[in-house]
Amino acid sequence: SENTVCASPGAMSPALAKEIPREEREGGSRRSGWGLLVTAGVGGTLVALYAVATPFVTPALRKVCLPFVPATAAQIQNVLKMLENRSGSLVDIGSGDGRIVIAAAKKGFQAVGYELNPWLVWYSRYRAWRDGVHQNTKFYISDLWKVSFSHYRNIVVFGVPQMMPQLEKKLEEELECNTRIIACRFPFPRWIPDHTTGEGIDTVWAYDLKRSRGCETKILEITSETES
């Protein structure tokens, strides 16, 4: 007969079961089991690849698309140069894989990184532990626009042009006069840098807020009033 009979998967008539040798039935079951294992293995591999690739293709910060681009060795050295003779706490805004935070910690800073991408934060923590500076570093999963940086005295930021005006305003409102802000790759639009080093994409600009906010003028006025 050419008629097709619909049945639930795995259903088998007693007569048909007798016609199929036992070895073939057991072999089919084994092949089915191996198929499930292979499927599970492939699925697990794809999930693992997605987890590894995600930090490199998703934005690191909200509001502005800021993809993860690792700092070059020259950029790190230029940042450290701008931190010479500086002390106090340090924060890297959009810390990526943590290389700036770790480099600063090795120079004696209590360094903190804020990063929205959890995979990068976990990797940064691992790197800090591997390099023996985990006690001097902290990494937080957070949106920079929801964090106050008022208690930091050294700020490092790898930004993009679209975010710099808004970030400039935010930092100007929050930070104290003795804070130094170090911008990498792109400068702030209104502030005039006090120091600049590097060339091309490795250029680093340092801004001392005492000048940007007119703190020197305020100090002079207070001193004059005290003397009089």
Side-chain angles (χ1 to χ4, degrees):
S1 169
E2 297 295 329
N3 293 336
T4 301
V5 178
C6 297
S8 60
M12 184 179 298
S13 67
L16 184 59
K18 290 180 181 179
E19 294 177 4
I20 300 176
R22 179 180 178 183
E23 291 79 3
E24 290 187 16
R25 295 201 303 271
E26 292 178 349
S29 299
R30 285 196 295 269
R31 286 193 296 272
S32 177
W34 279 111
L36 290 174
L37 287 175
V38 171
T39 301
V42 172
T45 301
L46 291 175
V47 170
L49 289 173
Y50 175 79
V52 172
T54 295
F56 303 94
V57 297
T58 56
L61 300 169
R62 290 172 182 160
K63 287 196 175 182
V64 177
C65 183
L66 182 56
F68 168 56
V69 180
T72 65
Q75 287 171 341
I76 295 173
Q77 290 305 312
N78 288 337
V79 169
L80 295 178
K81 183 177 180 180
M82 293 300 185
L83 291 172
E84 291 178 357
N85 302 319
R86 297 285 301 177
S87 60
S89 56
L90 176 143
V91 63
D92 184 6
I93 300 175
S95 53
D97 62 0
R99 58 187 66 191
I100 291 289
V101 173
I102 292 171
K106 290 179 179 179
K107 293 297 183 179
F109 288 91
Q110 288 291 327
V112 175
Y114 284 92
E115 169 64 44
L116 190 61
N117 192 313
W119 298 104
L120 290 175
V121 170
W122 295 331
Y123 180 59
S124 299
R125 291 169 180 167
Y126 161 74
R127 291 189 63 180
W129 171 81
R130 183 192 64 186
D131 290 4
V133 294
H134 58 283
Q135 294 183 342
N136 296 329
T137 61
K138 291 182 180 179
F139 296 94
Y140 297 105
I141 303 171
S142 184
D143 185 336
L144 78 86
W145 307 108
K146 299 178 181 179
V147 177
S148 173
F149 302 105
S150 59
H151 55 289
Y152 295 104
R153 295 296 168 264
N154 300 281
I155 313 286
V156 181
V157 56
F158 280 75
V160 293
Q162 295 90 336
M163 71 177 284
M164 299 307 273
Q166 188 175 357
L167 182 59
E168 182 182 63
K169 181 181 179 181
K170 173 179 170 63
L171 296 178
E172 194 168 33
E173 292 174 350
E174 294 178 352
L175 302 179
E176 299 292 335
C177 289
N178 60 344
T179 303
R180 171 168 289 186
I181 305 171
I182 300 171
C184 306
R185 293 198 181 102
F186 299 100
F188 286 97
R190 293 189 301 107
W191 292 341
I192 298 174
D194 296 277
H195 311 279
T196 304
T197 188
E199 297 179 353
I201 63 170
D202 297 324
T203 303
V204 170
W205 298 265
Y207 305 85
D208 293 328
L209 275 191
K210 62 183 180 182
R211 293 187 179 181
S212 299
R213 296 177 61 179
C215 293
E216 289 182 334
T217 304
K218 293 179 182 178
I219 293 173
L220 288 174
E221 291 176 352
I222 293 172
T223 304
S224 299
E225 291 177 0
T226 303
E227 291 177 352
S228 60

